[in-house]
Amino acid sequence: QLQLVESGGGLVQPGGSLRLSCAASGFRVASYTIGWFRQALGKEREGVSCITISGSRRSYADSVKGRFTISRDGAKNTVYLQMNSLKPEDPAVYYCARLASPCLGVPGVETIFGSWGQGTQVTVSS
């Protein structure tokens, strides 16, 4: 059984920080390229970041570059997304997924390998 469970979302003020977790079961996150995606109200799901199998290369959307950091903990079989300096435009449901393509740039939704999890809600408000 393959499963990805996102957690760590919540309500944060503009400029605040959150760390999202993507816990995997049924496969090893260290054996796949992993991506983070988000879907805001009224918008299509979009790629946010990805990390290679080796962890040596990471890619970020221009909108989050310099503020978000993706990382992986093989021992915990978990991928993280550290989000700093959150902006009012960052609220969305955030998802993680295995990718069928290398992390050469921002991942596209069509590149996921498997199925989506339930996501975790991030809200930015004063």
Side-chain angles (χ1 to χ4, degrees), residues 32-47:
Y32 294 89
T33 301
I34 305 295
W36 279 97
F37 302 79
R38 68 183 182 184
Q39 186 166 16
L41 182 64
K43 296 184 178 181
E44 295 184 347
R45 194 166 300 181
E46 63 180 357

Side-chain angles (χ1 to χ4, degrees), residues 48-51 57-61 64-65 70 103-107:
V48 175
S49 181
C50 59
I51 185 170
R57 185 171 66 250
R58 300 168 174 84
S59 294
Y60 300 93
V64 307
K65 190 173 298 183
I70 189 171
C103 185
L104 300 178
V106 180

Side-chain angles (χ1 to χ4, degrees), residues 60-125:
Y60 300 93
D62 289 340
S63 60
V64 307
K65 190 173 298 183
R67 300 187 297 118
F68 291 10
T69 302
I70 189 171
S71 62
R72 180 182 63 211
D73 186 334
K76 296 182 178 180
N77 206 30
T78 300
V79 175
Y80 302 96
L81 185 68
Q82 178 67 47
M83 306 186 296
N84 298 326
S85 301
L86 284 163
K87 299 179 179 180
E89 59 265 35
D90 292 323
V93 178
Y94 284 73
Y95 304 86
C96 61
R98 297 190 300 178
L99 303 182
S101 63
C103 185
L104 300 178
V106 180
V109 172
E110 73 280 359
T111 69
I112 70 165
F113 185 88
S115 60
W116 299 103
Q118 62 182 353
T120 185
Q121 176 72 54
V122 172
T123 302
V124 181
S125 176

Side-chain angles (χ1 to χ4, degrees), residues 9-28:
L11 175 65
V12 64
Q13 295 182 335
S17 299
L18 286 173
R19 189 179 74 162
L20 306 184
S21 297
C22 173
S25 61
F27 71 98
R28 304 296 299 178

